[in-house]
Amino acid sequence: MSRASSDKKPVGFGTHITAGGLAGAMEALCCQPLDTIKVRMQLSKSGRLPGTKPRGFLATGAMIVRRETPLALYKGLGAVLSGIVPKMATRFASFETYKRWLADPETGHTAVGSIFLAGLGAGTTEAVLVVNPMEVVKIRLQAQMHSLADPLETPQYRNAGHAVYKIVREEGFSVLYRGVTLTALRQATNQGANFTAYQELKKFAHKQQPELTDLPTYQHMIIGLISGAMGPFSNAPIDTIKTRLQKSSFPTDMSAISRITSIASDMWRQEGVHSFYKGITPRVLRVAPGQAVVFAVYERVRRLIERVKEVSDEDDRYSE
């Protein structure tokens, strides 16, 4: 066992909030344009007519910039930033909690299967508590095709706060949880694959470099990049259906399964199987680098906080 894995105190909840929040904010600032392009591609009906092709990643981005200015690529950023701190705090804190519960009581070791289950639990927890309401608001803002350069062109939703107010007032609070089952399924599979791959690759890296107490930042980024790419490929159809479900309006008496079935069958019939993978390119380009940023910043901030605490504890001992 490497020095990195021994004699380490459990990370406190406050550390998860601080490190996770900063990591998430940095991820959002770096990757929001890719997420906006992904959402527009998933909502696009291009390619339905015979002989036509769906609008691609670069073409979609160029169209947004041309029609709505480059700032339009950051539509929905307010909703993301307002939810990113509780989202990341919930993700890391719940993962570590579930991982500890599933660890062997005698050795403290957590098996690969248990790490995957802890990731599933963390993804489900963050989806229900934070992600779904945040994404309903974000998608409504991103779907607005208005030019930010024209002050006379008034959007339906001015900002994240206005969107929440208007959605709840006109459609009811429950709309913020529309698609929560699909969101939970997507987040669970994402974090199950993400945390399992990250933990195992990190463990492998330590075995190859037993002299290192902590891996360098660039290695955390590479490991995060690889682990982050696994989720999108496994659940792209779920994410596309979820996006259309959260954007659309349905009769109040229509059940959730009926809505999902209606969207999926319509996509299959009118756009074909490739429609379920619309936006996969920007999603991978968004999620994989995003996880590289998240894990690198999280590990860095966590180490800094731990070192500050160690120095503080030493000062307290000397002052006694």
Side-chain angles (χ1 to χ4, degrees):
M1 183 178 290
S2 67
R3 290 161 51 195
S5 59
S6 60
D7 302 327
K8 279 203 169 186
K9 295 180 180 179
V11 179
F13 186 72
T15 302
H16 288 301
I17 293 176
T18 306
L22 288 173
M26 187 63 68
E27 178 207 13
L29 291 171
C30 292
C31 303
Q32 182 66 10
L34 294 170
D35 190 69
T36 299
I37 295 172
K38 181 212 75 168
V39 167
R40 289 292 182 87
M41 289 179 70
Q42 289 177 330
L43 295 175
S44 173
K45 301 300 195 310
S46 64
R48 283 192 169 189
L49 297 176
T52 62
K53 292 182 179 180
R55 191 178 293 111
F57 167 58
L58 294 177
T60 301
M63 185 185 70
I64 294 172
V65 171
R66 185 173 63 252
R67 291 184 178 180
E68 306 168 48
T69 79
L71 284 177
L73 294 171
Y74 282 90
K75 284 180 178 179
L77 180 62
V80 174
L81 287 176
S82 64
I84 207 73
V85 172
K87 172 186 173 181
M88 288 301 173
T90 300
R91 175 182 298 179
F92 284 102
S94 60
F95 172 73
E96 293 295 339
T97 300
Y98 298 144
K99 181 182 171 186
R100 188 170 65 251
W101 289 348
L102 294 168
D104 187 306
E106 296 181 1
T107 64
H109 175 72
T110 308
V112 177
S114 295
I115 289 176
F116 181 72
L117 289 176
L120 289 178
T124 303
T125 302
E126 71 174 9
V128 174
L129 295 182
V130 182
V131 176
N132 204 83
M134 180 185 74
E135 288 209 344
V136 170
V137 174
K138 176 182 71 70
I139 288 169
R140 294 291 181 96
L141 290 168
Q142 289 174 322
Q144 297 183 128
M145 298 184 185
H146 67 287
S147 174
L148 298 178
D150 185 357
L152 298 179
E153 194 172 344
T154 307
Q156 183 180 7
Y157 308 113
R158 293 192 298 270
N159 50 51
H162 180 247
V164 171
Y165 172 76
K166 197 164 185 179
I167 290 170
V168 172
R169 189 187 66 178
E170 296 179 357
E171 303 176 58
F173 181 81
S174 62
V175 172
L176 293 176
Y177 279 89
R178 178 178 290 168
V180 67
T181 303
L182 292 176
T183 303
L185 185 58
R186 184 199 64 182
Q187 293 302 114
T189 52
N190 265 349
Q191 300 315 315
N194 189 18
F195 276 113
T196 303
Y198 183 81
Q199 295 282 324
E200 291 304 302
L201 289 171
K202 183 179 174 183
K203 191 185 301 179
F204 176 78
H206 274 301
K207 286 182 179 178
Q208 300 303 309
Q209 306 162 98
E211 73 281 359
L212 295 180
T213 301
D214 294 303
L215 296 178
T217 298
Y218 80 89
Q219 291 189 20
H220 285 298
M221 292 192 74
I222 294 172
I223 294 171
L225 185 74
I226 296 170
S227 64
M230 295 185 176
F233 286 109
S234 66
N235 56 28
I238 296 171
D239 188 57
T240 303
I241 296 172
K242 176 201 71 68
T243 298
R244 295 199 180 190
L245 178 66
Q246 292 176 329
K247 168 63 174 61
S248 305
S249 297
F250 293 91
T252 55
D253 59 346
M254 192 174 184
S255 66
I257 190 65
S258 297
R259 296 173 182 177
I260 294 170
T261 303
S262 174
I263 291 172
S265 60
D266 182 64
M267 289 172 63
W268 178 273
R269 185 173 60 256
Q270 298 192 42
E271 301 171 67
V273 67
H274 68 272
S275 66
F276 291 93
Y277 287 86
K278 277 187 173 181
I280 186 65
T281 300
R283 187 174 174 220
V284 172
L285 291 176
R286 157 83 171 82
V287 173
Q291 290 307 300
V293 172
V294 164
F295 280 115
V297 174
Y298 176 82
E299 297 280 5
R300 184 80 173 180
V301 173
R302 189 184 70 173
R303 287 202 301 266
L304 287 173
I305 294 174
E306 289 174 343
R307 286 169 186 167
V308 169
K309 286 182 178 179
E310 288 173 2
V311 172
S312 178
D313 290 342
E314 288 180 5
D315 290 343
D316 289 342
R317 284 198 297 270
Y318 286 134
S319 62
E320 290 177 357

